[in-house]
Amino acid sequence: MKFFKKAVFLFITLFLIWILLTGLHPQELIIGAIVALIIMLIFLGSAEIFAEIKLTPKAFVFWLIYIFVFLWELIKSNLDVAFRVLNPKLPINPGIVKVKTNLKSKIGRIILANSITLTPGTLTVETKDDFFYIHWIDISSTDIEGATNAIVAKFEKYLEVIFG
């Protein structure tokens, strides 16, 4: 049953991405279904990471909220970095901080690390056990708890509901 769930989820995800990229023309739908099926068969063995995604209405709502939270943080960090570039008097105090995550699933950690890296001013350098090492453009807190609250907490509370 778990194998079937992974296969269906992977196929649906690939097919939806195809539809978003090409549209709803019947010919495109047929080709998209074939391509999604072929890719699913090729990558199904390494798709156990997708089994960690919760397929519940609550998780879906939190996905939508997470997208808006991520976009808001992306805009804020882009503006922050742009102002620092345009105004050399703004402080830059770069360094690497250690943050802690409560996420247990692999895909949740991957999405968290990538979300941190995609927001300008932060870069996930390494992940080790429950800790991430983040390069931060302007360190405002050097202790683990303060850095975690500043960088990780805004993403993690939503990812925890989605992935556990």
Side-chain angles (χ1 to χ4, degrees), residues 9 13 49-50 52-71 105 107-112 114-115 155 157-164:
F9 181 75
T13 302
I49 198 164
F50 293 112
E52 296 175 342
I53 297 174
K54 295 179 183 174
L55 300 175
T56 64
K58 183 178 180 181
F60 179 73
V61 169
F62 273 73
W63 258 119
L64 294 176
I65 295 169
Y66 178 75
I67 289 169
F68 286 107
V69 168
F70 174 73
L71 290 175
S105 71
I107 192 163
R109 288 173 180 241
I110 290 169
I111 291 175
L112 177 62
N114 285 316
S115 297
F155 299 129
K157 64 183 176 183
Y158 300 105
L159 293 174
E160 207 162 23
V161 173
I162 298 167
F163 302 106

Side-chain angles (χ1 to χ4, degrees), residues 10-28:
L10 186 58
F11 175 79
I12 290 171
T13 302
L14 293 169
F15 190 57
L16 287 175
I17 291 170
W18 181 274
I19 290 171
L20 287 172
L21 294 174
T22 62
L24 293 172
H25 190 273
Q27 183 178 359
E28 295 292 340

Side-chain angles (χ1 to χ4, degrees), residues 25-132:
H25 190 273
Q27 183 178 359
E28 295 292 340
L29 291 175
I30 294 168
I31 293 172
I34 294 169
V35 169
L37 182 65
I38 291 170
I39 293 172
M40 178 202 68
L41 292 173
I42 292 171
F43 290 103
L44 191 58
S46 62
E48 72 266 353
I49 198 164
F50 293 112
E52 296 175 342
I53 297 174
K54 295 179 183 174
L55 300 175
T56 64
K58 183 178 180 181
F60 179 73
V61 169
F62 273 73
W63 258 119
L64 294 176
I65 295 169
Y66 178 75
I67 289 169
F68 286 107
V69 168
F70 174 73
L71 290 175
W72 176 247
E73 292 300 324
L74 185 67
I75 291 167
K76 285 186 349 187
S77 60
N78 269 295
L79 291 173
D80 179 60
V81 171
F83 287 137
R84 289 176 195 279
V85 169
L86 296 173
N87 187 355
K89 292 181 182 179
L90 287 176
I92 294 180
N93 182 23
I96 296 178
V97 293
K98 184 178 182 181
V99 298
K100 185 175 184 347
T101 181
N102 295 321
L103 296 175
K104 300 300 178 207
S105 71
K106 289 180 186 177
I107 192 163
R109 288 173 180 241
I110 290 169
I111 291 175
L112 177 62
N114 285 316
S115 297
I116 292 168
T117 298
L118 287 171
T119 51
T122 55
L123 175 70
T124 305
V125 179
E126 184 178 352
T127 63
K128 189 172 187 177
D129 299 324
D130 289 342
F131 297 98
F132 290 180

